[in-house]
Amino acid sequence: MKLDRQRLKSLGILLLIGFAYYLETQTLGFRLGCPLYQFTGLRCPACGLTRACIAFLQLRFADAAGANWGLTLSLPVLLPWLAVVIYRWLYRRPAGGKGTKAAGMMLIGWYILWGIGRNFLGL
C-alpha cells in the first residue's frame, strides 16, 4: 500500500480552500447562499451547513445543532465514514466493503428524510 502523493496534495488544497473560506466568513462576513432556497424557498438538507461547521470549529455545539441539526445527528456515522473513504481514496483502494456502502446509503437516506422533514414537517 502506497500513499498517492498527488491525491494527498489535492486533499491539502481542498482543506486550504475550506480554511480560506472560513477565514473570509469571519472577516468579511460573505457566505455563499443556497441556490435551492433562493429559487424555491425550500431548505435543502445542507442549508445551514456553513454556520454549523463554523460553530463546530469554534466548539459551539448548541449553535451548530441549531444551524443544521440533521447534520449534527449524522456526525457519529458521517465522520468515521468520511475517514474510511478518504483514507482508502488516498491509498487508491476501493471505497470499501458492505459496511462502508451501507453507511453511505444510510447517510443518503437520512439526508433525504431530513430535507423532507425540515420543509414539510417544520423540523
Side-chain angles (χ1 to χ4, degrees):
M1 244 185 348
K2 187 175 178 184
L3 177 67
D4 187 323
R5 296 204 181 272
Q6 183 62 38
R7 287 185 176 194
L8 182 61
K9 186 177 173 183
S10 299
L11 180 62
I13 290 169
L14 183 63
L15 291 172
L16 281 174
I17 290 170
F19 184 68
Y21 181 62
Y22 166 75
L23 290 176
E24 186 278 325
T25 61
Q26 299 306 296
T27 54
L28 301 176
F30 174 77
R31 293 187 179 153
L32 299 174
C34 176
L36 180 71
Y37 182 75
Q38 290 174 348
F39 290 120
T40 66
L42 296 174
R43 295 178 294 164
C44 75
C47 280
L49 184 63
T50 300
R51 289 187 309 266
C53 288
I54 289 170
F56 276 122
L57 288 173
Q58 296 173 347
L59 304 178
R60 296 181 293 118
F61 302 115
D63 292 340
N68 188 323
W69 71 262
L71 170 71
T72 305
L73 291 176
S74 73
L75 286 178
V77 175
L78 178 64
L79 292 179
W81 179 81
L82 275 175
V84 167
V85 169
I86 291 170
Y87 174 83
R88 294 180 75 81
W89 177 75
L90 285 172
Y91 284 92
R92 289 193 173 268
R93 297 183 69 198
K98 292 179 183 177
T100 306
K101 290 177 184 175
M105 295 303 292
M106 187 172 74
L107 287 165
I108 290 169
W110 168 250
Y111 294 128
I112 290 170
L113 290 174
W114 166 236
I116 292 169
R118 78 184 315 191
N119 286 296
F120 302 110
L121 302 176
L123 300 177

